[in-house]
Amino acid sequence: MLLTAAFAVDPIRDAVSLGAVTEARLEHSVGYLAIAPISAILDTLTLLGARQHIAVVLSLMVLYIAIRTWRIRRQPNPEQAPKTRRTRVASEATHGAIFLLVVVLSYAAALVLPRPMASLALEASDVLLAVDFHSHTRYSHDGRPGWDPADVRAWHRAAGFDAAYISDHRTVHGAELGIADNPAEAGQGTMLLQSLEAGWRSEHVNILGANRFYKGLTSADLRDVDEQALALASLIRNHEPIVIETLPANLNNVVAARGPGTAGARAIEVVDGSPRGLDQTRIMRSRIVHLADSLHLAMVAGSDNHGWGKTAPGWTLLIIPGWRGMRTDSLESAIESALRLGHDATRVVERRVAGELNGSNVFGVALTLPLVTWGMLTTLSVDERIMWVIWVWAVVLTASLTTAWRRRHRLRRVV
C-alpha cells in the first residue's frame, strides 16, 4: 500500500488524450468502501479484455503450480512411502480443485454478485451530462435472463449516468418499456433512450431513435440496415439518423457519413465494455482516434452491458445547455444534434484500472497479472487504502488466532 501510494494516479482519465479529467471524479459509496478489496478486485476483473482474462488465469495456474511444487520439495523423503505418495496425490488433487473453484467463484462474483458500484460524479452543471450509448435488456437474444429496463436504469444510475441508450438486437421493445417509465424531466433520474443494434456490411452499428423517430431504416426483422432507406432518411440536413460504429469491428469497413445530407456512421466507440471490445479499443486506440479525426466522427463510450457485472468502463460527456428539465424526446434530439457536430462534440472518460495493461506484444500479455495488480493498486483512493490496510490486518489477525488455537488444541490432545 505504501509503495503504490507513491505512484498513485486518478482512477479515471480522458480516453483519447489519456490526460486528466478535471470536470469529473470517481466516487465510492460507504458500501463500496466497506468491502474495498473485494470491490477493487471484482472491478478489475470486469474491466479486463479477453486476452487479459486468458493471461491472468494462465498466470494464476503457473503461480499455483510453482507454489505447490516448492512446498512438496520442502517435505523430507517424499518417495519413501507409497501410501504417503498416494495420500499426497489425493491432497494435491483436492488443493487443485479448491484453486479452480476459487477462480470460478471469483469470476462468477464479478458477473452476478450484487454490490455497490463506483460512480462518476460531474461538477454540478446544467450543461454537462454523462451518456452511455450501448446497453441491452433481456429482450436481446444475448441479454441476461430477467434483465429488465428497470434493472438497466438502476445499473446506470448507480454508475453515474444521466442518460443511457438501450440498443437491443432485433427489437426496440425493451427501450420502449424503459422510456415509458422515464422521469418526467431529465435530471430527475437516469433517462432511458431508444436505439437499435443492427448489422451493416458485416459490422454492427447502433442507430439512435431507430423505429421511433426513423421508421423503416432496417429490414422487416430489424436485423440489418436498409441502405436505401438510410440514404433517403439522411437527405434531410441536420436530421440525419445517427449511426454509431460499435466495437469490436473491422475498422477498414467503417462507412462514414461524408457531411450533411449523407448516410453513414457519425460516431464510433472508443470504449466498448465487452471483453473483445476492450481488447480492440486498447490495442488500436491510436488508430481509432486517427480514424475519428480523419472521418470527422464523434467518439463515444458504450458499456455494452448485457446484465453482467457492476462496473462501468467509460462515460461519454456531452455539452448540452439546459438539458436538465428536458423531456425524453427533447433530450434525445439534443443529443443527436450534438453528435452531428462530429469529432469535437464529445469527451470520453474511461476507468484507468486496466487501461493500458493489455500490450499488443507477447511480452506485455505475459506480464498481465503483475501489471494488472500494480495498476489496480495505484488507482486506489486514500479511503480505499485505509480499508485495504484494515482488511489485511483483520486477515492476519484471524490467521494468527486460528494458528494459535490449533497449536493449543494439539497440545491438549498430546497431554
Side-chain angles (χ1 to χ4, degrees):
M1 288 296 104
L2 291 175
L3 178 61
T4 55
F7 299 90
V9 294
D10 199 312
I12 58 173
R13 66 179 180 185
D14 188 301
V16 177
S17 69
L18 306 184
V21 180
T22 58
E23 63 267 42
R25 66 186 184 280
L26 197 66
E27 285 191 341
H28 306 108
S29 66
V30 173
Y32 187 98
L33 292 173
I35 55 171
I38 297 174
S39 297
I41 292 172
L42 296 186
D43 277 8
T44 300
L45 281 179
T46 308
L47 292 169
L48 295 180
R51 297 167 71 220
Q52 286 179 299
H53 283 296
I54 296 172
V56 165
V57 172
L58 291 178
S59 298
L60 288 173
M61 292 175 65
V62 170
L63 184 62
Y64 169 80
I65 292 172
I67 292 174
R68 295 306 301 173
T69 300
W70 174 74
R71 288 179 63 87
I72 290 174
R73 289 181 176 178
R74 289 187 61 195
Q75 298 175 4
N77 302 323
E79 294 87 6
Q80 289 183 356
K83 179 179 289 187
T84 302
R85 188 164 56 248
R86 288 194 297 271
T87 303
R88 182 172 291 111
V89 170
S91 176
E92 291 305 318
T94 301
H95 281 91
I98 293 174
F99 165 76
L100 291 176
L101 181 61
V102 169
V103 173
V104 171
L105 289 179
S106 298
Y107 271 91
L111 290 174
V112 303
L113 185 68
R115 58 188 178 88
M117 294 179 67
S119 173
L120 188 75
L122 300 177
E123 293 181 352
S125 171
D126 291 333
V127 175
L128 196 65
L129 76 159
V131 183
D132 180 13
F133 284 94
H134 191 172
S135 66
H136 295 268
T137 69
R138 67 184 178 90
Y139 297 101
S140 278
H141 66 277
D142 52 357
R144 177 179 176 178
W147 189 248
D148 290 315
D151 300 309
V152 176
R153 191 191 310 279
W155 189 93
H156 284 87
R157 182 173 60 250
F161 288 99
D162 299 302
Y165 280 86
I166 293 179
S167 49
D168 285 331
H169 302 271
R170 307 182 194 180
T171 178
V172 294
H173 184 60
E176 290 290 356
L177 290 177
I179 290 173
D181 289 332
N182 268 344
E185 297 179 346
Q188 297 178 350
T190 300
M191 301 283 278
L192 296 183
L193 307 174
Q194 188 197 80
S195 182
L196 178 71
E197 185 168 354
W200 190 16
R201 300 187 183 183
S202 301
E203 302 297 332
H204 277 216
V205 296
N206 286 340
I207 310 174
L208 306 189
N211 232 43
R212 182 173 176 82
F213 297 117
Y214 307 100
K215 303 289 187 179
L217 294 184
T218 65
S219 55
D221 59 1
L222 305 184
R223 179 172 182 170
D224 298 301
V225 172
D226 184 323
E227 292 197 32
Q228 185 176 6
L230 180 62
L232 290 173
S234 300
L235 291 176
I236 305 175
R237 288 173 173 255
N238 299 322
H239 291 280
E240 304 92 341
I242 299 296
V243 177
I244 299 176
E245 181 76 21
T246 68
L247 298 180
N250 183 343
L251 299 181
N252 294 322
N253 293 339
V254 175
V255 181
R258 296 296 179 179
T262 63
R266 297 181 182 276
I268 186 171
E269 291 182 336
V270 71
V271 172
D272 181 276
S274 69
R276 290 175 58 231
L278 289 171
D279 266 352
Q280 186 173 21
T281 53
R282 288 167 185 163
I283 295 172
M284 307 182 72
R285 185 191 306 268
S286 60
R287 185 179 174 189
I288 295 170
V289 173
H290 175 74
L291 187 69
D293 185 39
S294 61
L295 299 178
H296 200 54
L297 300 173
M299 286 177 282
V300 301
S303 67
D304 203 1
N305 184 268
H306 287 68
W308 310 104
K310 289 287 186 177
T311 311
W315 299 258
T316 307
L317 305 188
L318 290 170
I319 295 178
I320 300 179
W323 69 271
R324 294 182 185 275
M326 288 185 177
R327 297 187 179 276
T328 299
D329 292 350
S330 298
L331 180 63
E332 188 162 7
S333 178
I335 291 174
E336 291 183 13
S337 296
L339 292 181
R340 291 189 186 98
L341 297 177
H343 186 261
D344 298 324
T346 62
R347 184 172 192 183
V348 179
V349 178
E350 70 172 353
R351 286 288 298 270
R352 191 198 288 264
V353 174
E356 289 182 312
L357 303 179
N358 191 12
S360 58
N361 54 60
V362 175
F363 183 73
V365 174
L367 293 178
T368 294
L369 182 59
L371 289 176
V372 163
T373 303
W374 177 264
M376 176 186 69
L377 295 177
T378 57
T379 59
L380 297 178
S381 66
V382 174
D383 292 339
E384 287 179 287
R385 290 182 190 279
I386 293 173
M387 291 306 302
W388 270 75
V389 171
I390 292 174
W391 270 77
V392 168
W393 279 110
V395 171
V396 170
L397 180 61
T398 301
S400 299
L401 292 175
T402 302
T403 301
W405 179 83
R406 288 178 176 175
R407 288 176 179 174
R408 187 176 302 174
H409 185 66
R410 288 172 184 171
L411 288 174
R412 288 178 178 176
R413 290 180 63 183
V414 171
V415 174

